Amino acid sequence: MSLFLRLSRTVILAAGAALLSACSLFGPSTPAMKLYVFQCGDILTKDVSIFSPGVNVGQRKQLTNSCYLIQHPKGNLIWDTGLNDAIGTKGVDAFDGKFHLSVSKPLAPQLAEIGIKPEDIQYLGISHFHADHTGNANLFSNATLLIQQEEFDAAFGPEPQKYGFAPETYSKFNRKNAQVLQGDLDLFGDGRVVIKKAVGHTPGHQMLFLDMPKSGPIVLSGDLYHFTSNRQHRRVPSFNFNKQQTLDSMEFMEQFTAAKHAQFWIQHDLEQNQDIRHSPEFYK
Ligand SMILES: [Zn+2]
């Protein structure tokens, strides 16, 4: 082989190696960020004024229940786990018959449909520990639970029921798997997935800010509001842990949302969710 051929072969090999490493940095082998939305139960309230004291007393209202999967190059996060899959389509009454809860689309098969197993989930973020958000938490008992200190103390303390929590829904959870937070958390350090502390609905209620590369900023608002008219009027449900804290969180999160020009998704709002793409479709 001539010197020229050997040199050109070396150059081609080096160029090929450089291209390969560039591909691994920027190319198709880097997993893209994705957001999946799941329907995680149906909630019929027989008196909507539970959420809006003194307003629409005795009126029924159908709510949905949402949970989410965020795929990031550095890990998978489940945000809320819905009502327990075992409740099924027949459903159960709750809160002295004021609510009827049912699950027409269980979460586990929705994850399987997009090729995700519970053990693929590294992080579990729960907006708060009411049973319509912790229902399937036991599926993810090996994940790192991201929870505010106040919520941790209430959920794993001596009297979780006092806060309206259902400890059987997270009984398999090893509290040593919890990353206890003292405020906001930028989970992957790039500003794309940020937990925002917004207390009041429960002692350590939190929300999730997402900065999606293509779809832009989105706030997953937990139970700061349950439907749009409560957001418009900033009404505080009768069963909230602390009314003033809730009002302060509403003010602060509205300012944050406006500053970020973010979409604001209300997790229980049936009408708003009809315009949101659900899994197996996703947002990028
Ligand atoms: Zn809820």
Side-chain angles (χ1 to χ4, degrees):
M1 194 186 289
S2 73
L3 178 64
F4 172 76
L5 270 178
R6 260 188 285 146
L7 273 176
S8 57
R9 209 172 77 128
T10 309
V11 168
I12 288 167
L13 283 174
L19 196 65
L20 274 176
S21 73
C23 279
S24 64
L25 280 175
F26 306 111
S29 61
T30 302
M33 200 172 153
K34 289 182 188 173
L35 165 63
Y36 290 91
V37 184
F38 306 103
Q39 191 199 345
C40 290
D42 311 284
I43 299 173
L44 173 67
T45 174
K46 296 173 186 172
D47 180 0
V48 72
S49 71
I50 291 166
F51 299 99
S52 51
V55 180
N56 297 328
V57 177
Q59 285 190 16
R60 295 157 76 93
K61 187 170 178 64
Q62 184 71 50
L63 302 175
T64 190
N65 196 22
S66 308
C67 40
Y68 309 85
L69 167 67
I70 297 95
Q71 293 192 295
H72 182 280
K74 290 187 179 171
N76 292 328
L77 164 71
I78 286 278
W79 179 254
D80 282 335
T81 69
L83 286 166
N84 188 276
D85 283 354
I87 288 174
T89 50
K90 193 163 167 243
V92 292
D93 283 337
F95 301 102
D96 304 323
K98 295 189 183 95
F99 290 90
H100 186 76
L101 315 172
S102 57
V103 176
S104 53
K105 292 187 79 179
L107 175 59
Q110 292 188 77
L111 288 171
E113 184 185 13
I114 56 167
I116 296 288
K117 298 186 288 293
E119 51 270 32
D120 297 331
I121 304 300
Q122 290 85 24
Y123 298 100
L124 175 60
I126 297 183
S127 62
H128 64 293
F129 266 57
H130 285 158
D132 54 321
H133 299 258
T134 58
N136 297 301
N138 280 335
L139 277 179
F140 311 102
S141 54
N142 292 318
T144 299
L145 174 68
L146 306 166
I147 182 172
Q148 299 295 327
Q149 179 80 61
E150 295 88 339
E151 200 79 352
F152 180 88
D153 292 343
F156 295 99
E159 293 180 290
Q161 293 87 351
K162 197 177 95 179
Y163 302 92
F165 300 168
E168 67 276 13
T169 59
Y170 53 91
S171 57
K172 287 188 190 161
F173 226 92
N174 186 340
R175 66 182 69 193
K176 288 185 185 143
N177 283 350
Q179 182 177 342
V180 180
L181 309 179
Q182 312 291 336
D184 297 354
L185 174 71
D186 180 355
L187 182 57
F188 300 114
D190 59 1
R192 295 284 185 190
V193 180
V194 182
I195 289 180
K196 303 288 295 177
K197 185 175 184 181
V199 300
H201 185 59
T202 59
H205 180 270
Q206 55 188 6
M207 302 170 46
L208 191 67
F209 171 73
L210 299 172
D211 188 8
M212 300 300 296
K214 290 222 169 94
S215 304
I218 300 171
V219 170
L220 306 181
S221 59
D223 279 10
L224 188 66
Y225 312 104
H226 292 77
F227 40 85
T228 298
S229 62
N230 260 15
R231 183 182 180 203
Q232 288 162 343
H233 299 283
R234 296 202 191 180
R235 292 184 178 127
V236 178
S238 57
F239 58 94
N240 272 26
F241 170 70
N242 185 305
K243 184 175 181 182
Q244 189 55 50
Q245 282 183 353
T246 306
L247 290 167
D248 291 347
S249 290
M250 288 174 175
E251 176 62 23
F252 144 80
M253 283 309 303
E254 292 295 347
Q255 287 185 20
F256 175 84
T257 302
K260 294 286 187 186
H261 304 287
Q263 297 182 53
F264 191 93
W265 289 4
I266 301 175
Q267 297 186 196
H268 283 301
D269 189 299
L270 178 66
E271 292 75 17
Q272 189 194 44
N273 269 275
Q274 283 164 348
D275 294 327
I276 289 174
R277 294 199 298 273
H278 281 59
S279 182
E281 292 186 77
F282 55 85
Y283 291 83
K284 288 198 244 186

